[in-house]
Amino acid sequence: MEIDIPDDDLRALCQEQRLAIRKLGAACARKLRSRLADLQAAAHVRELVAGRPHPLTGDRKGQMALDLHGSVRLVFAPNHDPVPRFADGGIDWAQVRRITIVFIGDYHD
C-alpha cells in the first residue's frame, strides 16, 4: 500500500525511532514501526489484521484507526480522488490502496 505523510511532525515521528521513543515511549514506538510495516506490506486496507483496524465516526468519519499501545492510535484516511465507495456511500476499504496518515496519538483526549 502507498502511504503518504504530508505533516512534517508526523513524518518525523514515523521515520525517526529515537523521536518516536521520546514522544510515545518504547513500547508504543515499537508498535508504530510494526504497524507501518503492516501498512506497507498490505495491498489494500482490508488485508490489515494486526492493530484491530476500525473505522471511526463523528468528526473522524471517513478515517480508520489502528491500535498502537494503550489508547494511542495511528489514524489514516483514503488518499484517492474520488474515494472508492459503496452504493450506500460508505467507504469501500477493500479498494483503498493509498492512504494518508493524519494523526498519531490519543484522539479520546
Side-chain angles (χ1 to χ4, degrees):
M1 191 165 3
E2 293 179 37
I3 302 170
D4 183 37
I5 312 171
D7 182 89
D8 292 337
D9 292 333
L10 284 177
R11 188 176 324 104
L13 195 61
C14 291
Q15 294 176 346
E16 299 173 28
Q17 186 68 5
R18 289 177 132 185
L19 177 63
I21 291 169
R22 189 170 68 245
K23 297 273 186 178
L24 304 171
C28 192
R30 273 193 306 277
K31 286 292 185 182
L32 174 60
R33 178 82 70 206
S34 178
R35 296 295 173 258
L36 289 169
D38 294 341
L39 286 166
Q40 290 174 333
H44 55 79
V45 173
R46 280 287 175 223
E47 283 189 353
L48 297 171
V49 178
R52 197 179 61 89
H54 52 283
L56 301 176
T57 59
D59 62 341
R60 292 203 176 272
K61 185 174 182 173
Q63 299 176 349
M64 187 169 279
L66 298 174
D67 294 349
L68 294 179
H69 183 75
S71 58
V72 178
R73 309 286 186 262
L74 181 152
V75 179
F76 60 89
N79 186 6
H80 290 262
D81 188 21
V83 172
R85 296 195 178 272
F86 292 112
D88 68 1
I91 296 173
D92 183 357
W93 290 103
Q95 299 301 315
V96 174
R97 300 179 189 312
R98 294 188 316 269
I99 61 166
T100 299
I101 295 177
V102 296
F103 180 77
I104 296 170
D106 183 354
Y107 53 70
H108 302 103
D109 286 343

